[in-house]
Amino acid sequence: MAMAAASIGGALGFLTPRRRSVSFAAAGGARRRPPLAVVRAASYEAGVGVMATKVGMMTYFDPANGKPVPVTVVGFRDGGNVVTQVKTAATDGYDSVQVGYHGVREDKLTRPELGHLGKAGAPALRHLQEFRLVAVDAFDPGQELEFNELFKEGDLVDVSAKSIGKGFQGGIKRHNFKRGLMTHGSKSHRALGSIGAGTTPGRVYKGKKMPGRMGGKKTKIRKLKIVRIDNDLKVVMIKGAIPGKQGNLLRIAPAKIVGKNIPKS
């Protein structure tokens, strides 16, 4: 019986998984190299931009042909846009221009913020943003940036802003899902439906489109055309819609066109 058991065990031995042992010499004698560090380089801007405030939307009639053009009216708060810091590769490791916007009372800011702005000779400003550029030689701390000097009518701009928050929404409104039948005995009208298989993979894949918070995120609309710049009213008309509601903070920068105003690499 013992010999029979041994023979059966030997015959079924191939069914038992065996670990493959690899010696240090067989692996070439080389140690494992540590994973390479991933360096993420921030993208360059096509040029210095400004911050502004969304006023609202209106219809602008083109004086050339009389056609109606939907535009967003953009205004500027007191204090304007002021260069608060110029960063260089020698001092900060990269070249960029920091711009401040929206003048406020000094008691609205902390002492470190006032000290930072005081170094540049700038007034108390609520918002600060950076524009990473290839060269920053043309900018000085305390310099005021005028929109009509940086842009002209017909230019294309990229506008970034925080979109309107819509709260917790379902799949139909958030992801444009199709609803189920409303008649013929259907029990699934606006329900999400299946979110994956069963035993395999036994989980829900990451990034699955499901109900959740909608809006309230930073959004960029690219290549919008400047229709008109009104220096008397100090407003700018930009063709199309811009994220956010009235009074929303906007970041306006020249549109990026690879190979034309920003390097390819």
Side-chain angles (χ1 to χ4, degrees):
M1 295 295 292
M3 294 178 61
S7 61
I8 295 174
L12 299 179
F14 70 95
L15 296 178
T16 305
R18 296 180 180 179
R19 291 187 176 181
R20 184 181 178 183
S21 59
V22 180
S23 62
F24 184 75
R31 296 182 179 179
R32 289 184 177 180
R33 292 183 298 177
L36 299 177
V38 179
V39 179
R40 295 181 179 178
S43 60
Y44 289 97
E45 297 284 352
V48 69
V50 297
M51 285 176 280
T53 303
K54 181 176 179 178
V55 177
M57 292 197 68
M58 60 173 288
T59 301
Y60 174 76
F61 292 91
D62 192 346
N65 50 30
K67 291 184 178 181
V69 180
V71 297
T72 301
V73 182
V74 175
F76 300 92
R77 295 186 182 273
D78 295 337
N81 289 268
V82 182
V83 177
T84 56
Q85 186 180 6
V86 178
K87 296 185 177 182
T88 61
T91 58
D92 300 277
Y94 63 99
D95 297 328
S96 70
V97 175
Q98 186 186 86
V99 180
Y101 174 70
H102 189 183
V104 294
R105 301 195 312 267
E106 291 187 357
D107 57 355
K108 294 292 185 180
L109 302 180
T110 62
R111 290 187 178 181
E113 291 172 341
L114 291 174
H116 174 71
L117 296 172
K119 291 181 181 179
L125 301 170
R126 184 183 296 275
H127 305 289
L128 298 177
Q129 291 207 10
E130 275 191 9
F131 297 88
R132 185 169 182 178
L133 307 175
V134 178
V136 294
D137 301 333
F139 302 97
D140 297 315
Q143 176 183 349
E144 295 186 3
L145 301 178
E146 297 293 339
F147 190 89
N148 56 358
E149 297 178 358
L150 301 175
F151 303 94
K152 63 180 183 298
E153 295 180 358
D155 288 351
L156 300 180
V157 293
D158 295 342
V159 182
S160 302
K162 187 176 181 180
S163 61
I164 297 176
K166 300 182 181 298
F168 194 97
Q169 299 296 332
I172 292 179
K173 182 172 183 177
R174 192 182 187 205
H175 301 295
N176 297 321
F177 286 171
K178 183 179 179 180
R179 65 171 174 83
L181 294 176
M182 301 301 289
T183 57
H184 299 286
S186 173
K187 297 291 194 301
S188 176
H189 306 305
R190 297 178 65 92
L192 187 64
S194 174
I195 58 174
T199 305
T200 304
R203 62 186 178 90
V204 179
Y205 286 121
K206 291 183 179 180
K208 177 67 178 176
K209 294 182 179 180
M210 300 178 70
R213 294 190 64 178
M214 181 180 178
K217 297 181 180 179
K218 182 180 178 181
T219 308
K220 177 185 287 188
I221 308 296
R222 300 193 63 238
K223 296 183 179 179
L224 296 178
K225 183 180 179 180
I226 298 177
V227 176
R228 183 180 178 185
I229 301 176
D230 195 326
N231 295 324
D232 297 332
L233 298 177
K234 294 184 178 181
V235 296
V236 179
M237 298 181 185
I238 300 176
K239 183 178 179 179
I242 289 176
K245 56 185 179 180
Q246 296 180 5
N248 202 29
L249 177 68
L250 307 176
R251 174 190 171 104
I252 304 176
K256 292 183 179 181
I257 302 177
V258 178
K260 182 177 180 181
N261 52 19
I262 59 173
K264 293 184 178 181
S265 58

